[in-house]
Amino acid sequence: MGGSESIPTEELDKPWSTFDWGQKEALKRHLESFTPSNPDVTNIKILVAGQIGAGKSSFINSVLSVFQGEIGNEALADASQSAASHSFTKRLRAYRIRSAHADLPFEICDIKGLEPENISECQIDDIVNSIYGHVKEGYKFKEKSLTDGEHYNQNPSLSDQAFCLVYIIDTSTIQLAAEDKIITEKLRLIRQKISDKGIPQVIVMSKVDEASLLVKNDLKMVYRSKKIKERMELCSAKVGVPVSHIFPVKNYHNEIDTNDDVDVLILKAFDQIVRSADARLRRGASNI
């Protein structure tokens, strides 16, 4: 009778988490001047895992792009339709982070993407062994666990070991399909296997712009989006990583230039990854 129902809005009245959009240069300077806490380690190694199609290789490229100030594509990512069903990354590959002036003491390791229909115990073992430094760069992931051979490192040094595991999870699809439930269950299993060694885990939630029209129109609304907040809380509950270690990002995909708002979200996530890894490094080997 003359009245109208109000349409629920995705935008919250105030940010659900404070975020300084002007901290890009400060974060970048901190990371460019960073020195590992252990003098025996020249590069802090970080392992990146995630479901196929979630943006794992794209996140690595985005980190490289932020520091180089231009869009890069060093970690090859598959943009074809088949990318959602098969992993483009077949071998363990390490990427050294470089700024415009010098190499930085960070190395990001890319591994084969998790395929829901093909996840086996050996794939989980490969991830765990990669963290502990037993898998050498160039190893081609297979259907059985690596236990010996030319790519098996029996006695890894500190520099061979990873000190943080980063999960890349697609914000736009988490828990909306049966495949995503399989992935989050496997990530929780991996978490259980490495948590007793104190290996920190950070979640990067990619594709926030595809998950929210509000954020697609204005990336700075990511911390005022009810949908993004709910997806991050859901992710925390399913995988077991606290929300304080979950970071929403938009990866570079089809852009030709970098953008400050995209950069600062990526830098904030990477800064926490580095801090977590270095804190674990202070305690010694990751496999003891």
Side-chain angles (χ1 to χ4, degrees):
M1 298 259 323
S4 61
E5 293 185 3
S6 62
I7 300 175
T9 177
E10 184 192 337
E11 182 180 347
L12 299 173
D13 292 335
K14 60 181 181 179
W16 50 268
S17 180
T18 57
F19 188 81
D20 178 6
W21 291 94
Q23 63 182 317
K24 172 186 169 179
E25 292 305 323
L27 287 169
K28 196 174 179 182
R29 282 195 302 272
H30 170 259
L31 289 164
E32 287 178 337
S33 62
F34 184 86
T35 301
S37 59
N38 190 316
D40 294 329
V41 174
T42 55
N43 301 322
I44 291 183
K45 188 169 287 188
I46 297 154
L47 191 71
V48 178
Q51 183 176 353
I52 52 172
K56 179 172 54 66
S57 296
S58 294
F59 175 70
I60 295 173
N61 283 327
S62 296
V63 173
L64 294 170
S65 298
V66 170
F67 285 101
Q68 293 171 11
E70 59 185 18
I71 302 298
N73 191 34
E74 195 169 337
L76 296 181
D78 192 355
S80 68
Q81 292 183 346
S82 65
S85 58
H86 297 288
S87 177
F88 193 66
T89 303
K90 304 296 184 184
R91 298 178 183 272
L92 179 67
R93 174 78 191 275
Y95 297 91
R96 183 74 179 268
I97 306 298
R98 303 178 185 89
S99 70
H101 307 293
D103 287 349
L104 302 180
F106 316 118
E107 216 169 63
I108 303 181
C109 296
D110 193 9
I111 63 172
K112 183 180 180 181
L114 299 173
E115 301 177 19
E117 69 278 10
N118 293 322
I119 293 179
S120 61
E121 189 66 28
C122 76
Q123 196 172 5
I124 294 174
D125 288 342
D126 278 344
I127 291 174
V128 174
N129 281 330
S130 296
I131 293 169
Y132 296 154
H134 293 300
V135 183
K136 295 181 181 179
E137 184 176 2
Y139 168 67
K140 186 174 182 180
F141 296 98
K142 302 175 182 177
E143 295 181 356
K144 62 178 183 178
S145 301
L146 177 66
T147 55
D148 54 28
E150 64 174 321
H151 285 104
Y152 186 77
N153 185 359
Q154 182 68 42
N155 299 300
S157 67
L158 275 178
S159 294
D160 294 325
Q161 300 166 39
F163 288 90
C164 184
L165 175 61
V166 179
Y167 307 122
I168 309 297
I169 294 180
D170 186 341
T171 313
S172 66
T173 64
I174 181 173
Q175 292 297 296
L176 298 181
E179 291 84 358
D180 294 294
K181 294 180 181 179
I182 295 172
I183 290 294
T184 52
E185 288 170 3
K186 295 302 182 183
L187 291 181
R188 180 178 280 275
L189 180 59
I190 294 168
R191 176 171 169 76
Q192 292 171 349
K193 284 179 173 284
I194 65 174
S195 287
D196 63 338
K197 307 292 187 183
I199 304 299
Q201 294 117 61
V202 172
I203 291 177
V204 170
M205 296 198 71
S206 64
K207 304 185 182 182
V208 291
D209 55 318
E210 295 182 23
S212 162
L213 182 60
L214 178 70
V215 176
K216 184 180 181 68
N217 291 333
D218 184 357
L219 189 58
K220 285 186 175 180
M221 299 303 289
V222 68
Y223 283 106
R224 291 186 65 173
S225 166
K226 181 180 179 182
K227 183 178 289 186
I228 299 299
K229 178 178 183 289
E230 290 173 346
R231 295 286 173 91
M232 288 176 64
E233 291 171 343
L234 176 63
C235 182
S236 175
K238 294 297 182 181
V239 182
V241 173
V243 174
S244 60
H245 280 60
I246 300 177
F247 295 88
V249 305
K250 169 182 161 40
N251 289 332
Y252 286 114
H253 178 56
N254 54 9
E255 293 82 1
I256 59 175
D257 294 304
T258 57
N259 172 277
D260 285 348
D261 294 340
V262 175
D263 286 356
V264 72
L265 287 174
I266 292 168
L267 282 168
K268 187 63 177 177
F270 193 65
D271 182 67
Q272 182 59 58
I273 291 166
V274 169
R275 289 176 186 271
S276 298
D278 195 55
R280 178 59 184 84
L281 175 60
R282 292 191 200 103
R283 295 172 47 197
S286 65
N287 56 356
I288 60 172

